Amino acid sequence: MPSHQDPFPIRGWDHVEFYVGNAKQAAHFYEKVYGFTPVAYQGLQTGCRDRASYVLQQGVIRFVFTSALTPDHEISRHCALHGDGVKVIALEVPDCHAAMTVCKEQGATIVQPYAAMEDGSGTLKSGVVRYAGDTCIKFVERAHYRGPFAPGYQAIHMRGEVHPTGLAAIDHMVTNVYLGEMNYWVDWYRRILGFEQLTHFTDKDISTEYSALMSKVMQNGSGKIKLPINEPAEGKRKSQIDEYLEWYRGPGIQHIAMNTADICKTVRELRKRDIDFLRVPETYYEDLKHRIGKIDEDFDEIRELGILVDRDEDGYLLQIFTAPMQDRPTLFFEVIERHGCRGFGQGNFKALFVALEREQEKRGNL
Ligand code: FE2
């Protein structure tokens, strides 16, 4: 556990907001396929005339899907440039004013100054700073707000039944930045948010025959918020990070990892609903038992589902990665089950990148 003082405390992840081409259809997809429950809405029916947003929840994960309703809108321009992707990482703080004051003092770019919004359900305080590329970090103070999400939103009363897939919480979110920018953002997290660097992977750790990347993991004092940052390293051919940067047209969120208490059940359910996962070569499983040692799960089931396993001195983890969630090879998801292990699956990087490069090749991007 890091021993330093946070400049301001962070309670946890509040929500992730995606800017998408069609929020209504995205919400339907995340409800039917990923098993999220729609909880709140704003749009024409609530008197909001320039955008529509749907808030969905599963466990303590809260996703917001937002589309513009007018052509020359910041959201439309964002989607035209980046495609669907993560716009806002929102963190819950006990004191938003204090958080924004530190950000301002430390020189963060303020996108939305500290503001308190009120309706019949109480007061919600927030402020937004600029992060990598067009991505933002938002601070939300909701202790004095009892509504379904935020002022302006109304609750969604479900007609049908939702079938959850066991996704429970956000484990970590990864950012891709251009070569040479990683240390800027590492320093930014240190200076603005008081985060500490947890681990560092160099291109020696993470490289294949063709491509390489470097990664640093930043985390807050409580260890609840983990934000790894990747930058491409020189390789013989284009790395997966380069591919992302090219198609997202800049830095942004590469993947969101979500915890489950039963990865086999979650993956089986998601496969049934036609989610595609990255397949590592069969050889990965040949000496897995040997490499990993004893785990609670059945090795045959792990192999059948294509789940990866890694171990460190604190325990083991199980993980799997989806294919990109949109036509552009940009954002994807990770499903992760931790048994003590606090790592990120370093032992799987190599096998994973070989699998990723195979997919890149199919897309003509290698
Ligand atoms: Fe990850």
Side-chain angles (χ1 to χ4, degrees), residues 280-355:
V280 295
E282 262 300 301
T283 49
Y284 174 87
Y285 293 96
E286 276 168 13
D287 60 341
L288 185 67
K289 243 182 232 177
H290 225 76
R291 291 202 311 268
I292 295 300
K294 202 190 145 9
I295 58 171
D296 297 342
E297 293 71 17
D298 176 40
F299 272 104
D300 289 336
E301 193 177 13
I302 294 291
R303 179 190 198 135
E304 178 214 329
L305 292 170
I307 292 166
L308 308 176
V309 195
D310 197 22
R311 186 182 280 282
D312 68 7
E313 60 279 9
D314 299 311
Y316 68 94
L317 64 76
L318 303 148
Q319 64 184 169
I320 193 166
F321 299 85
T322 70
M325 293 320 298
Q326 52 291 309
D327 288 301
R328 296 195 201 192
T330 53
L331 177 77
F332 59 89
F333 293 121
E334 173 183 349
V335 179
I336 183 167
E337 181 180 337
R338 289 185 186 274
H339 290 261
C341 178
R342 288 188 289 169
F344 297 86
Q346 295 83 288
N348 293 322
F349 284 173
K350 191 126 188 179
L352 215 50
F353 292 172
V354 171

Side-chain angles (χ1 to χ4, degrees), residues 230-287:
N230 294 333
E231 72 173 17
E234 299 285 347
K236 275 192 216 155
R237 291 161 91 170
K238 198 182 288 173
S239 75
Q240 46 147 324
I241 311 301
D242 291 313
E243 188 194 32
Y244 175 101
L245 293 166
E246 181 181 313
W247 288 94
Y248 197 69
R249 304 286 160 131
I253 301 303
Q254 179 210 36
H255 76 265
I256 303 173
M258 296 180 278
N259 299 107
T260 169
D262 186 344
I263 196 167
C264 291
K265 208 168 153 191
T266 298
V267 171
R268 208 171 275 289
E269 197 54 49
L270 289 173
R271 281 200 189 284
K272 226 192 275 171
R273 302 180 199 186
D274 283 333
I275 286 295
D276 284 328
F277 291 96
L278 210 61
R279 271 270 174 201
V280 295
E282 262 300 301
T283 49
Y284 174 87
Y285 293 96
E286 276 168 13
D287 60 341

Side-chain angles (χ1 to χ4, degrees), residues 57-224:
Q57 201 163 341
Q58 185 167 192
V60 294
I61 309 166
R62 206 188 268 132
F63 282 171
V64 182
F65 298 95
T66 298
S67 284
L69 299 177
T70 55
D72 190 26
H73 193 291
E74 174 238 329
I75 299 165
S76 318
R77 288 195 297 271
H78 195 280
C79 286
L81 183 63
H82 302 295
D84 289 5
V86 172
K87 175 65 183 177
V88 179
I89 301 169
L91 305 174
E92 196 194 344
V93 292
D95 186 345
C96 184
H97 187 261
M100 288 303 288
T101 303
V102 172
C103 287
K104 215 168 152 182
E105 279 168 6
Q106 294 298 323
T109 306
I110 310 294
V111 175
Q112 178 221 296
Y114 167 81
M117 283 163 74
E118 252 183 74
D119 68 5
S121 300
T123 308
L124 188 97
K125 296 166 183 171
S126 67
V128 180
V129 297
R130 189 163 164 216
Y131 176 43
D134 285 332
T135 314
C136 295
I137 291 183
K138 183 175 194 167
F139 300 102
V140 180
E141 179 186 334
R142 58 170 69 252
H144 301 287
Y145 191 71
R146 301 171 307 278
F149 179 61
Y153 283 78
Q154 65 180 218
I156 293 178
H157 298 291
M158 288 291 297
R159 283 162 305 178
E161 225 181 285
V162 177
H163 302 282
T165 54
L167 298 171
I170 293 178
D171 187 272
H172 60 273
M173 277 177 78
V174 180
T175 309
N176 283 343
V177 299
Y178 286 120
L179 180 60
E181 285 185 354
M182 178 175 63
N183 286 334
Y184 173 85
W185 291 107
V186 165
D187 181 58
W188 187 89
Y189 275 118
R190 276 209 188 100
R191 201 178 55 191
I192 314 269
L193 305 183
F195 281 25
E196 282 197 337
Q197 191 181 319
L198 190 64
T199 33
H200 176 199
F201 310 111
T202 66
D203 49 348
K204 306 257 176 320
D205 306 311
I206 318 178
S207 64
T208 63
E209 192 188 341
Y210 294 129
S211 65
L213 70 87
M214 289 180 285
S215 188
K216 288 185 178 177
V217 180
M218 302 307 290
Q219 85 167 7
N220 77 320
S222 71
K224 272 188 190 159

